[in-house]
Structures are given as structure tokens and as C-alpha cells.
Amino acid sequence: MNRRLRSAILLIIGGVLGIVPVLAANLFMRDFVRSQAEERLSLAADRLLLNVEQVVQESIDVISLLPHRSRPSCTASIRKQFHLLQIRHHVLHDIGLLNDDRELYCSSLRGEVKFQVRSKPVTSQVDHLSFQSVYDDISRKQGLLVAWRVAENVSIAAFIPDDHLILNSMPIEYASASSASVMLATGSVLVETSPEIRYRKKSPFAVFDPDPAWTRDLIKTIARSSRYPVMIWAGVPFETVWMTFSGAMDLINGLAILIGAMIMFFFVRLSVKKEPPSYSIEEGIKKREFIPYYQPVIDIQTGRLAGCEVLVRWRKPDGSILSPGSFIDTAEATGLAMPMTTLLIEQVEEDLSEAYAAHPQLKAGINLFNRHFDDLGIVGDIERIFGNSGVRFNQLMFEVTERQPLDNLDRARAIIARIQALGSKVALDDAGTGHGGFAYLQKLGMDVIKIDKLFVDSIEPGVEMVPIVDSLTNMAMGMGMTVVAEGVETEPQLDYLRSIGVHQAQGYLFAPALPAKAYLELIDAIGGMAGKDDKVSGDAQGPEDYRATQSDQMVQSVANF
Ligand code: C2E
Ligand code: CA
Ligand code: CA
């Protein structure tokens, strides 16, 4: 998948998952708060109902004490009884006889009382008992009339005013915001309490602003009495309850935001995370993205183009070219260096076959890894690739670096011998920097020594001797080896190297590593002349139609040599 697309998808997933904890915490908490509130509200309704039941029970108990088996007449003694009972039972506002017109006569307090009827009488399980919502004009009280029918058109009735039906405050934490109604089973309201009613009681003339929360999400419950035809409705706005949890929610939200941020951070990291380098190197090998560049090598004694060193480059799909410093260690550590080298050598063969067949004096140096000296695989590769090629074995040189040690010198020696038996040369690369030293040279039977740039750099203008360069050169020449200097950047370096007899050199003074096309143009321009004249002379000119290319500079620097 395209990397950008992958990053974008990961960022979107991260963003979405990042807000999940906050959403989940809120959803979960709202659910939790709602069920808690429902439970508490239902307990509160049960308590209110219990109170109503107790009051009703009390009124029935009172009536049952009276002579209710026969039609009573309003005698002074019965009125007195009514009066005494009413005084003893303060929940009852009045006791008396009731006719079907809902007129209380023989009232304990006031003689004849005509109630305003607010609902039809509702009978209970025992049909001589009926319950009714009434309003008493004299006491200006609304309430419940409990009537016990004792004869045709006559009941003994007790009037329970609203303030005894409902508790003064709701038995829950958020009482001030909650509402409740005591109702008959038919739904007629006997009495209700709400924030507005309570407010009006306290300040009758002030303006009450209804809480808009009431019109929204309401938590409600109903508790029905199993004994009497009464029930309690109770409700509270969810938002009000939710606000009582605001402290806890701040904490929970803070935690959820933290978790969300961690999730987002994880995905952002994931989206910017590069694919494992070994994975992309493997892909790169499959897609043949590793290509050879060619750094010209000059015979500094004669001025001829001696050949090149092959240096790998990674040409990314976006066209950028990576130097080996950014991938070679990973390739080596993951074992991918081997297939990469094989791919590279195959391309060298393709690139150079024609030109090298035409210029048999040109050589190509190919860098090997130390692992190549573990088995004969590389020898097989060389034979297979160059066995039938315009590039002959004797045009090839294989470079073994001294920077890393060889595991087994005897085995390496045997492999080197096999390569030499084909007619190719073997060079000690980066000589003087690492492990091998003189022992390597002696034991491995190298043909060429390449003096590392590190030492070439120490050649300052005007110096008369540079001990390491001098001794490496002397020793190598003493052993009949060819000496090549790497990283030559200045004229004084070149002059010095030539003066001590170094055979060949490469470096930015002549040319950097060139793409195949530029290197082949260079061969066309000066390699051909070298082939003809056997030497690129100081006054050699390029062909007339030679266009200024990257190799043009090289032609000039070699030509001016
Ligand atoms: P090396 O084998 O010593 O190659 C010479 C390095 O020095 C190359 O760097 C080259 O571009 C650079 N160089 C050449 N002339 C100059 C100069 O005048 N000044 C400076 N500053 N640098 C110069 P490059 O191509 O980046 O390669 C670095 C190293 O990576 C090579 O060092 C070699 O050890 C390794 N390498 C490159 N290609 C291959 C390959 O195909 N196989 C193996 N096994 N190793 C390779
Ligand atoms: Ca090299
Ligand atoms: Ca080197």
C-alpha cells in the first residue's frame, strides 16, 4: 500500500479511536448515572407511597372504630366522637358523614361542608371503601376523601389534606430538582410537588423561570400501592442528576482524554514509522532498484583511464538516489547484501559488456562483503555471469575490505585463489584502516592494494613524506602489487602519489561515481583514444561532436593530465 495512504488511514483510525475513550466514558457514565438515579427515585417513590398508605390506613382505622354497621344518625354523641378522633389523629382534617352529593354533614369541625369534587370516587378492593380527590373551600385545602359506605347514600368519611399526603421534601439527594405526585389509580392527581410549586409557596409573587431541562430528558418512576387505589409518580431531569456527578466526570473525562491521547499518539507514531529497512531492501532487490554507479580509476603514471570501481546506489521509485551509507549496514546485517551484490554484478555485466569488449585494457573493481568469503557461491556467480560475456574475467577485480575481519582466513584464501584462477584480480580495500595489515597481504595473496582516503587526506601541499602512505606503497610494491589511491581530491595529492610511484587513483579530482550512461560516454570519449594511442596524451582532444556531459569534466581533467 502507498505509504502516504497508509499514514493517512492510520491517522484517521488513530483520530477515531482517540475519541472513543471519551465517548465510551461518557456513554457508560450517563448510563450508570441514569440507572443510579432511577433506582434512587424509585426508592423515594416507595417511601412516599408508604407514607400515603400509612395515612390512608390511619383514616380507615379511625372510621372502623365508629359504629359503621348501621345507618348512623347525626347525634351529638357521634359528633363528639368524630371530634375526639379528629383531634387525636392530626393527619385527618375532618371526619363526618357524607352523602352521595359529597356533602360532609355532621362534620367534626364545621357542620356542613360541601367539597369541590376533583375526581370520581374510586373504589378499592373492598367495595365499601371509596377514594376521591376533593377540594375544601373553607380550609382551602386539596386532599383525599376516604369514605366508608355504611348505608344507602351515607358514608363515614375522613378528609386527609394534601400536606399530610406528601412529605415536605423528597427523600433523595437531588430533592430540590425533583417532582412527585400522589395520584389515584385512575390518574387523578391528589397532590403534587415540584420545584415550581415549592418556589411559589415560598415566594408567591416572584416570577418562576421553568427549568428547560424539564422538557428534555426526564427520569421517572411510578410506585403503585397494592393496598389502595393510589400511586406515586416521581421524576427528575436527567441533566440535574448528571450535574451532581460533574466533579467525578471531570476526573473521568480527564482520564479518558489521557487514554485517548495515548491512543492517538500511538497511531501517529505508527503512521510516521518507516517500514522495517530490511523489508524495503528486499522489495528494492525484487524491483531491481539497486543499480551500479561507476567511479573512473586513472592510471596516474600514464594518464590513461584504467577502468572503474563499481559502487552501489539505491534508485528509489521517486527517482532519488541513495548512497550505500544509508542502507549497506542493514543489507549486511540481514543477509540481503548477497542477493544485492548478485543483482549488481548482473547489471555491471549488462552495462559494460559491449564497451569492455571493445576496450580490453579497462578493468572494473567490484566490492565484496566479508560474507562472500564464507563459501564458493560468489565464484559460481562470477563464472555464471561473466562466463559468456564481453567483460572478460581478467577485466574484473574484486575488493575485500580490511575494515571488517574475515572469519576464516584459510577459507578466504581458497576462494581468492579460485577467483584468481579465473584470471580476475583481488584487491585489499581500505588498506591500513583495519584488521588485516601485513598478515592479510601475505596470507591472502592479494594483487592490488587500495590506500584508503583517510591516508590520502593526510597528504598536505608541499609535504615531502607521508609515512603511512609511503610505507604502504613501498611494502605493496615490494610484494609486486599494484597500488591504487582512493579519494584523491587535490592536485598536490595527485602529484605526491605519482611521485612515490602509486600506479592508479580515483577521486573527485577526476570524477565521482557516474551513472552507467555517463561512464560509457567517458569510455567513448577517452577510453577509445586510450585504446588507439595506448595513452591519453596531454594534448588529446575529445571527438568534435562530443557534448558537454558529466563526463566532459572528467575528459578535461584526464586530458589535461
Ligand atoms: P569504498 O569501497 O572505499 O568506496 C569509495 C567511496 O569513496 C565511495 O563512496 C566513493 O563514492 C567515495 N569517494 C570516491 N572518491 C572520493 C573523493 O574524492 N572524496 C570523497 N569524499 N569520497 C570519494 P560510496 O559510493 O558512498 O561507498 C561507500 C562505501 O560503501 C564503499 O567504500 C564501500 O565500502 C561500500 N560499498 C559501495 N558500494 C558497494 C558494493 O557494491 N558492495 C560492497 N560490498 N560495498 C559497497
Ligand atoms: Ca572499494
Ligand atoms: Ca575504499
Side-chain angles (χ1 to χ4, degrees):
M1 196 194 304
N2 178 312
R3 264 189 63 77
R4 278 197 193 152
L5 183 66
R6 176 177 168 271
S7 300
I9 291 175
L10 283 172
L11 281 177
I12 291 170
I13 295 176
V16 171
L17 290 185
I19 53 174
V20 164
V22 180
L23 286 180
N26 277 272
L27 275 178
F28 172 80
M29 278 309 288
R30 285 181 91 88
D31 220 45
F32 172 76
V33 166
R34 181 180 299 277
S35 66
Q36 286 277 307
E38 275 167 358
E39 204 169 294
R40 284 176 201 180
L41 199 65
S42 137
L43 279 175
D46 286 347
R47 281 197 60 190
L48 294 178
L49 185 64
L50 193 67
N51 174 63
V52 172
E53 285 179 336
Q54 277 170 354
V55 175
V56 171
Q57 183 61 52
E58 193 173 341
S59 66
I60 294 169
D61 288 348
V62 167
I63 298 172
S64 69
L65 295 174
L66 292 161
H68 54 269
R69 300 214 183 273
S70 57
R71 184 182 192 94
S73 34
C74 185
T75 59
S77 97
I78 205 162
R79 270 195 82 172
K80 195 173 173 198
Q81 271 190 53
F82 286 162
H83 189 61
L84 282 174
L85 286 171
Q86 190 268 324
I87 291 168
R88 234 179 271 153
H89 299 274
H90 71 283
V91 299
L92 305 180
H93 190 69
D94 212 348
I95 306 174
L97 296 174
L98 186 76
N99 63 22
D100 280 355
D101 292 335
R102 303 290 127 177
E103 245 171 330
L104 195 72
Y105 61 98
C106 210
S107 150
S108 61
L109 293 178
R110 302 161 289 174
E112 317 287 280
V113 181
K114 174 108 173 110
F115 290 109
Q116 275 184 39
V117 171
R118 289 278 161 93
S119 76
K120 284 199 179 137
V122 182
T123 49
S124 74
Q125 291 144 333
V126 276
D127 58 349
H128 59 270
L129 279 179
S130 71
F131 299 79
Q132 189 169 18
S133 171
V134 293
Y135 183 79
D136 171 15
D137 285 323
I138 299 171
S139 64
R140 294 219 184 124
K141 286 186 187 218
Q142 160 129 5
L144 173 66
L145 195 65
V146 179
W148 183 320
R149 180 176 283 268
V150 288
E152 183 76 13
N153 197 20
V154 183
S155 304
I156 301 175
F159 175 56
I160 310 166
D162 53 9
D163 41 4
H164 290 295
L165 285 171
I166 197 128
L167 296 175
N168 283 334
S169 64
M170 289 281 286
I172 39 175
E173 300 89 330
Y174 26 85
S176 62
S178 54
S179 294
S181 311
V182 182
M183 299 192 284
L184 288 174
T186 51
S188 305
V189 174
L190 292 165
V191 52
E192 61 186 329
T193 176
S194 70
E196 179 171 359
I197 293 168
R198 289 190 290 269
Y199 182 81
R200 288 202 190 290
K201 259 191 201 160
K202 263 196 241 154
S203 356
F205 304 108
V207 180
F208 179 79
D209 251 348
D211 183 350
W214 274 100
T215 57
R216 293 200 290 264
D217 188 4
L218 210 60
I219 299 173
K220 48 199 170 197
T221 185
I222 289 180
R224 288 171 210 280
S225 168
S226 55
R227 295 158 63 192
Y228 310 112
V230 289
M231 61 187 187
I232 304 290
W233 175 95
V236 67
F238 173 76
E239 286 308 317
T240 310
V241 183
W242 183 240
M243 267 156 60
T244 63
F245 281 80
S246 66
M249 275 320 291
D250 285 350
L251 200 75
I252 290 168
N253 273 328
L255 265 173
I257 288 170
L258 195 75
I259 294 170
M262 279 162 66
I263 293 176
M264 281 189 199
F265 179 69
F266 172 78
F267 275 89
V268 168
R269 284 274 310 265
L270 211 64
S271 74
V272 295
K273 198 173 152 193
K274 293 197 178 105
E275 283 158 352
S278 60
Y279 169 77
S280 40
I281 290 179
E282 210 174 335
E283 284 289 303
I285 293 174
K286 272 194 213 140
K287 295 183 187 157
R288 301 180 80 83
E289 288 170 8
F290 294 94
I291 54 164
Y293 265 41
Y294 302 91
Q295 183 173 40
V297 178
I298 307 302
D299 181 326
I300 57 175
Q301 298 300 332
T302 64
R304 278 177 292 182
L305 175 66
C308 66
E309 177 177 359
V310 176
L311 294 162
V312 66
R313 295 291 180 270
W314 188 352
R315 187 172 53 200
K316 294 289 222 169
D318 64 7
S320 59
I321 302 283
L322 298 188
S323 286
S326 62
F327 58 84
I328 211 140
D329 286 347
T330 313
E332 213 171 348
T334 53
L336 291 167
M338 304 289 113
M340 184 195 291
T341 308
T342 308
L343 168 67
L344 206 68
I345 299 179
E346 285 169 354
Q347 295 181 82
V348 169
E349 194 279 325
E350 269 176 46
D351 288 346
L352 301 186
S353 189
E354 208 177 303
Y356 270 43
H359 302 288
Q361 80 285 2
L362 294 179
K363 309 271 189 279
I366 293 172
N367 292 286
L368 294 181
F369 293 98
N370 290 5
R371 275 212 214 159
H372 280 118
F373 295 91
D374 288 347
D375 60 50
L376 284 169
I378 183 63
V379 182
D381 275 355
I382 298 168
E383 282 179 314
R384 175 177 59 81
I385 296 166
F386 295 102
N388 210 355
S389 165
V391 182
R392 269 155 275 166
F393 292 127
N394 66 9
Q395 290 178 285
L396 297 170
M397 178 173 86
F398 294 90
E399 303 186 7
V400 189
T401 180
E402 206 192 283
R403 287 189 198 276
Q404 270 115 35
L406 288 164
D407 283 347
N408 182 329
L409 280 188
D410 290 330
R411 196 165 47 204
R413 170 69 208 134
I415 292 164
I416 287 169
R418 291 285 297 267
I419 293 173
Q420 288 168 329
L422 292 173
S424 303
K425 298 263 183 295
V426 178
L428 180 71
D429 201 0
D430 311 318
T433 61
H435 303 78
F438 191 62
Y440 258 44
L441 289 179
Q442 267 195 327
K443 186 141 195 178
L444 295 175
M446 303 282 187
D447 306 295
V448 177
I449 183 171
K450 296 189 79 169
I451 300 175
D452 194 73
K453 177 175 185 301
L454 185 74
F455 306 119
V456 173
D457 281 347
S458 63
I459 307 173
E460 304 279 346
V463 288
E464 299 211 333
M465 48 189 279
V466 183
I468 298 187
V469 177
D470 295 354
S471 61
L472 274 172
T473 308
N474 285 336
M475 183 178 66
M477 290 205 295
M479 294 168 79
M481 298 167 80
T482 301
V483 183
V484 182
E486 292 184 313
V488 179
E489 292 181 346
T490 66
E491 292 282 353
Q493 287 172 344
L494 173 62
D495 292 343
Y496 183 85
L497 292 165
R498 191 166 40 194
S499 75
I500 61 167
V502 168
H503 305 106
Q504 297 173 1
Q506 62 190 88
Y508 293 169
L509 178 64
F510 309 107
L514 306 169
K517 186 166 172 282
Y519 179 55
L520 292 174
E521 280 171 359
L522 179 76
I523 295 175
D524 267 357
I526 61 170
M529 286 184 293
K532 261 188 269 146
D533 301 339
D534 208 29
K535 180 172 170 141
V536 178
S537 62
D539 53 9
Q541 299 289 310
E544 269 163 37
D545 64 348
Y546 184 74
R547 287 187 308 277
T549 62
Q550 197 173 9
S551 60
D552 200 14
Q553 264 185 340
M554 165 72 195
V555 178
Q556 287 310 313
S557 54
V558 176
N560 295 335
F561 183 74

